[in-house]
Amino acid sequence: MNALLTESYDALAAVVSRLREEDAWVPTGCTGWSVRDLLWHLHADAVRGLVAAHTPAGRAADCDAVEYWRSWGSDPDADERNRRLTRVEAGLHELDALRERYVEAAAAAARAMAAVPAGDVVATQGHALRADDLASTLAVEATLHHADLVAHLDAPGPPAAGLAEVRRVVEALLGRTLDGWSTERVVMVGTGRAEPTTVERDALAGLDVPVFS
């Protein structure tokens, strides 16, 4: 999983490194967030990974790379406050500063995670989980936000390995595989980034979608 995380962070950092000030207010796949807002969020997530890598849980794991996502959306008011705060905080910085902070933090987080044995249990966001499961969650978030970031930019999307991991998690949360679906459709529809077609909607009958976003 650490190799996957490094690949996901490196691919995203390569896109971020090429951003210029004129890209700052381009919309992203995250409703209400521009490029600069998403960069601030990405930086915070990389810092969270860096902190978690150095925070032993001191207890048994209480979730894994799939179960971690089941609590998504459990506090809509807190999520909305975080979205608003992100916009405010991102607006205080030039894009150059946001870009450099993310690239630096992402590289540090990837190195730190690579140094943690896969079976060690670390703490983050009130959870205790194995380091390899944490690496998966970080790679999943980086992959999805990579897709969000380039939604309206002429830039490469996330790597296939990251998309495959998102698909694995989405299908595990759904409790079934989406046979015949492309990985991109599983990822985009399963996380609410694309509306299902009529045929896809029929295939999802009885399932709660999105599983997270």
Side-chain angles (χ1 to χ4, degrees):
M1 282 301 173
N2 283 328
L4 172 64
L5 177 61
T6 298
E7 180 181 4
S8 300
Y9 272 16
D10 284 351
L12 182 49
V15 173
V16 171
S17 295
R18 292 193 291 270
L19 295 173
R20 296 296 176 262
E21 191 60 41
E22 55 267 28
D23 300 316
W25 296 106
V26 172
T28 69
C30 295
T31 303
W33 276 359
S34 66
V35 165
R36 65 185 307 115
D37 303 321
L38 183 50
L39 278 184
W40 182 264
H41 176 76
L42 289 171
H43 172 260
D45 203 55
V47 170
R48 181 175 67 81
L50 179 60
V51 171
H54 295 284
T55 307
R59 58 189 173 98
D62 57 37
C63 66
D64 61 19
V66 174
E67 293 301 316
Y68 171 87
W69 296 104
R70 289 198 189 276
S71 62
W72 167 78
S74 59
D75 191 342
D77 290 338
D79 291 343
E80 181 58 29
R81 287 194 299 273
N82 180 61
R83 283 190 286 268
R84 291 198 304 269
L85 185 59
T86 294
R87 293 224 71 183
V88 171
E89 292 175 325
L92 299 175
H93 306 277
E94 298 295 329
L95 188 76
D96 285 354
L98 293 171
R99 182 187 64 225
E100 291 166 10
R101 283 187 179 191
Y102 173 71
V103 170
E104 180 180 61
R111 287 193 299 270
M113 287 298 301
V116 183
D120 281 12
V121 180
V122 297
T124 186
Q125 295 181 318
H127 293 293
L129 66 169
R130 285 167 48 108
D132 56 349
D133 287 318
L134 173 63
S136 167
T137 68
L138 294 171
V140 164
E141 182 149 8
T143 297
L144 290 173
H145 283 326
H146 187 150
D148 293 330
L149 183 65
V150 304
H152 301 284
L153 296 173
D154 181 16
L163 292 171
E165 179 65 3
V166 178
R167 178 175 191 157
R168 183 186 76 83
V169 172
V170 168
E171 290 182 329
L173 289 169
L174 289 174
R176 54 165 291 192
T177 59
L178 296 175
D179 299 328
W181 290 47
S182 70
T183 294
E184 181 179 0
R185 289 304 289 173
V186 172
V187 168
M188 299 303 283
V189 174
T191 64
R193 286 166 168 78
E195 287 295 319
T197 64
T198 300
V199 172
E200 290 169 343
R201 190 173 289 110
D202 289 342
L204 294 169
L207 300 176
D208 289 330
V209 177
V211 292
F212 62 89
S213 69

